[in-house]
Amino acid sequence: MDTLQREGDELEWKESARWVKFEEKVETGGERWSKPHVSTLSLHSLFELRTCLQTGTVLLDLDGYSLPQIVDEIIERQIGEGLISPDLREQISFVLLRKHRHQTKKSGKSSNKGGKSTPTRSPAPSRGGAGANFNRSTEDLRMKQQQSASYGRLRHGNSRSMNDIADTPGPDQLKNKFMKKIPRDAEASNVMVGEVDFLDKPFVAFVRLAQATTLGGLTEVAVPTRFLFVLLGPQGKAKSYNEIGRAIATLMVDDLFSDVAYKARDREDLIAGIDEFLDEVIVLPPGEWDPKIRIEPPKKVTSADKRKSVFSVNEQGLLNGAAGGAGEGEDETPHPHELGEELAFTGRFCGGLWLDIKRKLPWFPSDIYEGFHIQSISAVLFIYLGCITNAITFGGLLGDATDNYQGVMESFLGTALAGTVFCVFGGQPLIILSSTGPILIFEKLLYEFSKNNGIDYMELRLWIGMHSCLQCFILVACDASYVIKYMTRFTEEGFSSLISFIFISDAIKKMVGSFKYYPINTDFKPDYVTAYKCECLAPNPLPVPDNSSSLFGLDFTALDWSQLSKKECLKYGGSLVGKTCKYVPDLALMSFILFFGTYSMTVSLKKFKFSPYFPTKIRKLISDFSIFMSIMTFVGLDMLVGLKTPKLIVPTELRPTRPGRGWLVMPFGKNPWWVYVASFVPALLVTILIFMDQQISAVIVNRKENKLKKGCGYHLDLLWVGVLMAVCSFMGLPWYVAATVISIAHIDSLKMESESSAPGEAPQFLGVREQRMTGILVFVLTGVSIFMAPILQYIPMPVLYGVFLYMGVASLSGIQFWDRLKLFWMPSKHQPDFSYLRHVPLRKVHLFTLVQIICLAVLWILKSTVLAILFPVMILGLMGVRLALDMIFSQHDLAWLDDILPDKDKKKVDDKKGKDKKKSKQDDSDDEDKCHDPYSNCPPTSESEADRSITLHLKISSCPTAAVPMGPGMACPVPQVKIEMDSDSYSDTDHHDDRRRHGSETTL
């Protein structure tokens, strides 16, 4: 918006405010833009704007190619309508064609610092009042025109003195960095307001160009102009003009009104658009707030589609905050439980698998080249460290459980092999495969069973893996993944919360364990440091090593026992005596600093993209690489301090952990024949575990909140998990399935946001960078980690425990169960405005949360015992608990707190269809009775007749109101009926001008 101001002795249009989505004003002094804020308009200015459009000139679809030509058309229309006299033509033209000074340009003359003020309200810095300066400028115009004896119509390029605006955009417009904030294909609406001394009534024009045109130096950036609003008025009402200009500018960035402005056929459509805007306006009492306060832009704004239904909602009598005011995710009806066509039951052999392949194959090239992005680098580093930490931890526990038949080396090799194959050929490459706790429990029980019964463990495990692979094939062929649609949010949140809590508890347990191995020296007294010593005493009698001892040939009598190190003293059989012999540096405290520092720094840097510091690109880069920067920071701190904290230990040789074990397991020769058949039973339990763990993790990854566009592949994923089960069984490697927490972390590290957002508008979440390269690189790096041992040995384990803690905590964000859990400790007045709290009583919300807590506690207890092998069965138990909740909660409450089960949805649809069918039958019978009436309009019987049907819109105008008494001699006007006929054969998406051509209008 530009306001007319005086710069020295010259008039110019000076930029005072701008709108991309929110308002920005030029601060006092004109040196910078204000923070974006919500426009606060006076109700009076909106009514004045409505009056301006009613009485002013409205030019729609004007063919304009330059500002002088457009100004000429406006003035010509005003003269033709009798709104201004022809004598004012040159004066108005002179004013409207003055140069425009934008905020990026600094004034070259000495001017008043109050640049926003109008010429009549601020004294001139050197000469008389603004009115005199303006008169002098217009008198100069009149003198030049009198000398040339030309008072004709002003034409484009008539006189360079008459047109100060450049014909083409200047370098400041082309190089303006603000262009990055403007959406692509945007069009400008220019507002020009000011006061002059030669008008006695306002000069108002609203122009919509037929095609957007770049009008030279009119705009701050090189954006084509589509709309132009001009308001010139008599002196003394500058504030009122400015408010009207702000009102039309605010309307033009409103989604609904801008749509009206683009499609308006006449003046009445624009006024109707203002009326619709006024219907949504909320008035703030002037005595209850400060109008000088600038309202911060909201994080979420109601979409135009949701606002379109505000009138029908208001008719239901809903109060403020319940209609048209809910942000995204707070609809008046909850989202239905939809998992997409991927889980539709086809009824054909391998029908779901075939559809998965057809769905994913066209995306395969883009899955490769879209991975070449800088964001992928941070994701690879983050997930890689999480995977190797998990592989080392799980490998160590598996080695203890199976007597090193499977260990860290097998864990590394299996993770690399299974993960790479799955990311290349799987249906959802964003899923990260890993070993899980229930599989570890099963391996431990299986090894103990084999050892106690004299059965070869590796051969039995191979047959279990092959049977499980075959069972997975059967599940894929029968579209068994269809049952996943019965897993609602209740089951998903219970499962994901349990896995997240396991990550958090394991990280804390590891950290607490360091205080056990490296205790803090609470007994140390600095004042008695002289009394602290530790000596090595020789054993008595001295040992005599035999030929088989590693100490054979060592002369113990010649040893100086006092000079031996702690390790040598214990090795040779000596004893340590003294108060400092058990002294350990404060490694536990240093480990805690590394652990908590990595976690807290990662959380802080992850949120850095929302901070006000540094440009957007730098903030986003820091946020993307937050994990890597945190790890490198505390690895450097550990190296600087020099304490021997526990470090990451990676195998350095490619060989099995257990000596004498090969890389291939033979299926026959060590166990009796009945073992090959009986292994079908434990394989069934493994299959249930794999199926539930894999598919629930896939459902969580494929949530609609993640906005994935390339589709899912539940059947294809399960197929490859089964194949990898058999391959890993033959090679003696661990079994792998989808890791929920690491997969969620993978999704979070690849989220995309809009790069060009309006000032004040939060970046919009666009979706996830769906590709295969990050997963492939993660698992390839995991495989070659054995060759990177010299580098990885500098990473302290507490740093990786901090990464584990962050993964567990971050995966809890966005889970409704976690939000409802926090409500227990919140007073009602401080509770967030969640949508379900508006529709479900708080006691029922707490009851639903309590049921989830009990279920989670039962799962946690089972996980901590030998019964952990029944974990997949308990997940099925969660589905049974959810089914029982239908008897406790109403379907309305469950629709908000959870999801309605598919059968319930079907029942609702059937009921609705039954009602509609019954109603249609009743309507048909009524219509049939009407058809016997010769004066009734029967419905068309053929399709061609239906296509030619029309719609009649009746507009009846009569006396304003019957409550007003009629005076003598006053006659009530004759009621008028206006009939508008629109053909129904044209869809609602047709343009208004098309509908107008095919319709007709009659007034009676």
Side-chain angles (χ1 to χ4, degrees):
M1 184 179 77
D2 293 356
T3 55
L4 185 62
Q5 297 187 18
R6 174 180 44 80
E7 184 71 20
D9 294 337
E10 298 292 334
L11 287 174
E12 69 175 7
W13 294 96
K14 201 164 187 178
E15 194 173 20
S16 60
R18 69 184 180 193
W19 288 255
V20 178
K21 189 174 184 66
F22 300 100
E23 182 177 5
E24 296 175 85
K25 294 180 179 179
V26 177
E27 299 283 10
T28 304
E31 294 297 329
R32 69 164 193 170
W33 287 105
S34 68
K35 285 186 63 176
H37 56 276
V38 179
S39 298
T40 52
L41 307 175
S42 66
L43 199 59
H44 185 65
S45 66
L46 290 170
F47 285 118
E48 286 187 319
L49 172 63
R50 190 178 187 278
T51 303
C52 288
L53 292 181
Q54 282 179 324
T55 58
T57 297
V58 175
L59 297 175
L60 300 179
D61 297 330
L62 176 68
D63 292 325
Y65 56 88
S66 66
L67 185 61
Q69 181 252 337
I70 295 172
V71 169
D72 188 30
E73 294 284 352
I74 296 173
I75 297 175
E76 191 67 25
R77 177 65 67 88
Q78 290 258 352
I79 294 176
E81 295 177 353
L83 298 177
I84 61 172
S85 63
D87 299 338
L88 299 176
R89 182 200 304 272
E90 289 78 13
Q91 292 171 294
I92 295 176
S93 298
F94 179 81
V95 171
L96 294 181
L97 295 180
R98 294 302 88 202
K99 64 181 178 181
H100 290 249
R101 184 177 300 280
H102 305 294
Q103 174 58 22
T104 54
K105 299 179 182 179
K106 304 302 178 186
S107 175
K109 300 180 181 181
S110 174
S111 61
N112 185 11
K113 296 297 180 183
K116 276 186 66 177
S117 58
T118 55
T120 58
R121 299 190 60 183
S122 60
S126 57
R127 301 187 182 181
N133 272 302
F134 181 74
N135 289 335
R136 185 178 295 111
S137 300
T138 53
E139 287 297 331
D140 293 343
L141 172 64
R142 292 194 185 98
M143 291 175 61
K144 291 178 182 179
Q145 291 172 341
Q146 288 174 1
Q147 292 173 0
S148 62
S150 175
Y151 289 96
R153 185 179 179 184
L154 178 66
R155 297 292 179 183
H156 176 48
N158 176 27
S159 173
R160 207 46 212 164
S161 62
M162 293 288 292
N163 181 14
D164 281 349
I165 299 179
D167 296 332
T168 58
D172 292 337
Q173 295 171 275
L174 298 175
K175 297 179 181 179
N176 197 334
K177 296 181 179 179
F178 184 66
M179 191 69 186
K180 298 178 181 178
K181 294 289 185 181
I182 298 177
R184 188 175 298 177
D185 299 330
E187 296 177 345
S189 301
N190 290 288
V191 179
M192 301 167 61
V193 296
E195 56 180 2
V196 293
D197 62 344
F198 56 82
L199 290 177
D200 55 1
K201 62 179 181 180
F203 174 91
V204 182
F206 179 88
V207 180
R208 182 183 70 199
L209 302 180
Q211 296 293 334
T213 306
T214 302
L215 299 180
L218 185 62
T219 55
E220 180 185 1
V221 290
V223 176
T225 296
R226 186 63 179 269
F227 295 93
L228 188 67
F229 179 81
V230 179
L231 172 58
L232 295 177
Q235 291 182 341
K237 295 184 178 181
K239 184 177 180 180
S240 176
Y241 301 153
N242 189 68
E243 290 300 313
I244 295 174
R246 290 182 61 245
I248 186 63
T250 303
L251 282 168
M252 292 306 298
V253 295
D254 181 74
D255 292 334
L256 295 186
F257 183 83
S258 63
D259 187 60
V260 171
Y262 271 98
K263 298 178 180 179
R265 297 171 294 182
D266 50 30
R267 185 195 310 267
E268 298 301 325
D269 289 343
L270 292 174
I271 296 174
I274 296 180
D275 291 339
E276 291 181 5
F277 184 84
L278 285 170
D279 287 335
E280 293 189 74
V281 166
I282 298 174
V283 178
L284 296 176
E288 299 181 11
W289 79 296
D290 186 2
K292 296 180 181 179
I293 295 176
R294 291 174 178 172
I295 302 175
E296 292 287 334
K299 294 182 179 179
K300 294 181 180 179
V301 181
T302 309
S303 64
D305 293 335
K306 295 177 183 177
R307 287 175 51 199
K308 285 179 181 178
S309 60
V310 69
F311 303 108
S312 60
V313 174
N314 281 339
E315 289 174 1
Q316 299 173 8
L318 299 181
L319 300 178
N320 178 27
E328 185 179 349
E330 296 191 9
D331 312 83
E332 291 309 313
T333 55
H335 293 291
H337 180 54
E338 297 177 355
L339 292 177
E341 62 178 5
E342 297 87 355
L343 292 176
F345 184 73
T346 61
R348 300 189 305 271
F349 179 75
C350 293
L353 176 63
W354 175 243
L355 291 178
D356 283 350
I357 295 174
K358 288 177 61 178
R359 186 183 305 110
K360 299 300 293 186
L361 193 58
W363 295 106
F364 194 83
S366 65
D367 286 343
I368 302 300
Y369 64 75
E370 287 183 5
F372 295 95
H373 192 273
I374 190 171
Q375 187 181 18
S376 302
I377 299 176
S378 63
V380 167
L381 295 173
F382 176 29
I383 303 303
Y384 165 68
L385 291 172
C387 283
I388 62 171
T389 305
N390 196 43
I392 290 173
T393 304
F394 184 83
L397 296 174
L398 197 58
D400 295 338
T402 62
D403 197 14
N404 285 331
Y405 275 102
Q406 299 176 75
V408 176
M409 174 54 69
E410 287 79 6
S411 181
F412 265 80
L413 186 60
T415 301
L417 174 64
T420 304
V421 172
F422 185 84
C423 286
V424 173
F425 301 107
Q428 182 50 271
L430 296 176
I431 293 177
I432 301 296
L433 295 189
S434 178
S435 296
T436 59
I439 290 180
L440 175 62
I441 298 295
F442 180 84
E443 297 274 15
K444 182 178 180 180
L445 295 176
L446 184 64
Y447 178 75
E448 292 177 352
F449 173 81
S450 303
K451 185 177 180 181
N452 295 334
N453 293 275
I455 299 176
D456 185 77
Y457 163 69
M458 297 302 291
E459 189 175 298
L460 173 61
R461 184 177 179 275
L462 169 61
W463 280 96
I464 292 176
M466 288 193 296
H467 279 297
S468 182
C469 175
L470 179 61
Q471 292 165 4
C472 287
F473 288 170
I474 295 174
L475 292 176
V476 171
C478 298
D479 291 347
S481 298
Y482 169 76
V483 302
I484 299 298
K485 69 187 302 181
Y486 292 96
M487 293 184 183
T488 62
R489 185 190 296 159
F490 178 86
T491 308
E492 294 173 23
E493 291 185 346
F495 179 79
S496 60
S497 298
L498 176 66
I499 304 300
S500 299
F501 288 145
I502 290 175
F503 263 68
I504 295 172
S505 65
D506 285 350
I508 295 176
K509 281 181 182 178
K510 296 285 186 182
M511 193 61 250
V512 173
S514 64
F515 284 85
K516 178 181 178 181
Y517 293 108
Y518 309 106
I520 297 177
N521 302 291
T522 56
D523 297 333
F524 179 79
K525 296 180 176 56
D527 194 36
Y528 294 92
V529 68
T530 55
Y532 293 149
K533 62 180 180 179
C534 181
E535 295 179 344
C536 179
L537 298 181
N540 188 17
L542 290 175
V544 179
D546 56 10
N547 295 339
S548 62
S549 174
S550 60
L551 303 178
F552 179 74
L554 184 64
D555 187 5
F556 283 96
T557 58
L559 281 178
D560 186 0
W561 292 86
S562 62
Q563 299 299 321
L564 296 179
S565 66
K566 179 180 178 180
K567 288 184 178 180
E568 292 173 338
C569 180
L570 297 176
K571 180 180 180 180
Y572 299 153
S575 58
L576 298 173
V577 179
K579 292 185 176 181
T580 59
C581 291
K582 295 183 179 181
Y583 174 79
V584 179
D586 287 335
L587 296 181
L589 185 59
M590 184 64 189
S591 298
F592 179 78
I593 293 173
L594 298 176
F595 166 75
F596 189 73
T598 303
Y599 166 75
S600 58
M601 184 176 179
T602 301
V603 172
S604 301
L605 292 182
K606 205 69 179 176
K607 297 179 180 178
F608 191 75
K609 63 181 175 182
F610 303 112
S611 70
Y613 304 104
F614 300 112
T616 305
K617 286 188 176 180
I618 296 180
R619 295 201 309 265
K620 191 176 185 302
L621 195 65
I622 292 175
S623 177
D624 290 341
F625 285 86
S626 57
I627 297 285
F628 179 73
M629 294 174 66
S630 302
I631 291 174
M632 295 306 297
T633 299
F634 286 94
V635 167
L637 177 63
D638 179 73
M639 296 175 63
L640 183 64
V641 174
L643 292 178
K644 293 185 178 181
T645 52
K647 299 296 193 297
L648 179 64
I649 301 176
V650 181
T652 57
E653 296 181 6
L654 189 61
R655 64 181 183 183
T657 305
R658 185 181 178 90
R661 218 217 87 174
W663 283 117
L664 288 178
V665 179
M666 295 296 104
F668 303 102
K670 295 184 179 180
N671 291 331
W673 65 269
W674 58 267
V675 174
Y676 309 144
V677 180
S679 57
F680 177 85
V681 177
L684 187 60
L685 190 61
V686 174
T687 302
I688 296 175
L689 169 63
I690 295 294
F691 179 81
M692 299 299 294
D693 210 344
Q694 172 69 33
Q695 301 299 53
I696 293 179
S697 300
V699 167
I700 294 173
V701 168
N702 294 321
R703 281 174 176 169
K704 60 176 178 284
E705 291 85 356
N706 293 328
K707 297 183 179 181
L708 302 182
K709 300 177 181 178
K710 297 184 179 181
C712 315
Y714 294 96
H715 311 281
L716 186 59
D717 289 343
L718 187 59
L719 173 71
W720 280 108
V721 168
V723 171
L724 292 171
M725 284 274 294
V727 173
C728 290
S729 298
F730 270 104
M731 297 184 65
L733 304 177
W735 294 324
Y736 292 92
V737 72
T740 306
V741 172
I742 301 181
S743 299
I744 293 175
H746 192 204
I747 290 283
D748 290 338
S749 63
L750 291 172
K751 286 184 175 180
M752 299 183 298
E753 293 179 339
S754 57
E755 295 182 359
S756 61
S757 56
E761 183 183 20
Q764 300 297 314
F765 173 59
L766 302 179
V768 179
R769 197 174 302 281
E770 300 177 64
Q771 37 72 48
R772 300 178 184 269
M773 292 305 299
T774 53
I776 294 174
L777 290 175
V778 163
F779 292 113
V780 169
L781 286 175
T782 303
V784 301
S785 293
I786 56 177
F787 305 108
M788 297 191 298
I791 300 175
L792 297 177
Q793 66 181 357
Y794 291 104
I795 301 179
M797 289 303 295
V799 170
L800 299 181
Y801 298 152
V803 175
F804 259 48
L805 179 63
Y806 171 76
M807 283 185 177
V809 174
S811 61
L812 287 175
S813 63
I815 296 180
Q816 192 195 90
F817 166 68
W818 184 244
D819 294 332
R820 285 188 274 105
L821 193 63
K822 293 184 285 187
L823 294 178
F824 280 106
W825 295 274
M826 288 186 189
S828 298
K829 62 180 180 180
H830 296 301
Q831 291 174 354
D833 188 20
F834 294 131
S835 57
Y836 52 84
L837 291 180
R838 294 185 177 187
H839 302 273
V840 183
L842 186 60
R843 65 181 184 278
K844 291 189 176 181
V845 174
H846 287 335
L847 179 60
F848 189 84
T849 308
L850 188 61
V851 172
Q852 284 186 292
I853 294 174
I854 295 173
C855 293
L856 190 61
V858 172
L859 289 175
W860 184 271
I861 293 172
L862 287 176
K863 180 213 59 104
S864 306
T865 62
V866 182
L867 296 177
I869 198 171
L870 300 177
F871 179 77
V873 180
M874 294 308 300
I875 296 296
L876 291 174
L878 282 181
M879 299 173 63
V881 173
R882 169 59 185 87
L883 190 62
L885 291 179
D886 285 340
M887 297 182 291
I888 303 176
F889 298 90
S890 66
Q891 295 301 310
H892 171 268
D893 295 343
L894 290 174
W896 284 102
L897 297 174
D898 188 37
D899 298 312
I900 298 178
L901 293 175
D903 290 341
K904 300 291 182 180
D905 283 337
K906 185 178 180 181
K907 185 178 179 182
K908 278 189 171 183
V909 173
D910 292 341
D911 292 344
K912 185 177 180 181
K913 286 182 178 179
K915 291 180 180 179
D916 294 341
K917 189 174 181 181
K918 184 177 180 182
K919 184 177 179 182
S920 62
K921 286 183 178 179
Q922 183 177 358
D923 294 341
D924 291 342
S925 61
D926 294 342
D927 293 338
E928 189 175 348
D929 294 338
K930 289 180 181 179
C931 285
H932 294 292
D933 186 358
Y935 298 100
S936 63
N937 293 324
C938 295
T941 57
S942 64
E943 185 178 354
S944 60
E945 290 177 351
D947 291 340
R948 293 195 299 269
S949 63
I950 59 174
T951 302
L952 302 180
H953 303 279
L954 305 181
K955 298 182 179 180
I956 304 176
S957 59
S958 57
C959 295
T961 175
V964 180
M966 301 292 294
M970 296 179 60
C972 179
V974 178
Q976 292 186 348
V977 180
K978 186 178 182 181
I979 304 176
E980 295 180 358
M981 293 177 286
D982 291 331
S983 174
D984 290 344
S985 60
Y986 296 93
S987 63
D988 294 335
T989 57
D990 291 341
H991 296 292
H992 287 279
D993 52 351
D994 293 336
R995 297 180 69 95
R996 189 163 185 168
R997 283 195 300 268
H998 295 285
S1000 60
E1001 182 177 302
T1002 304
T1003 302
L1004 304 180

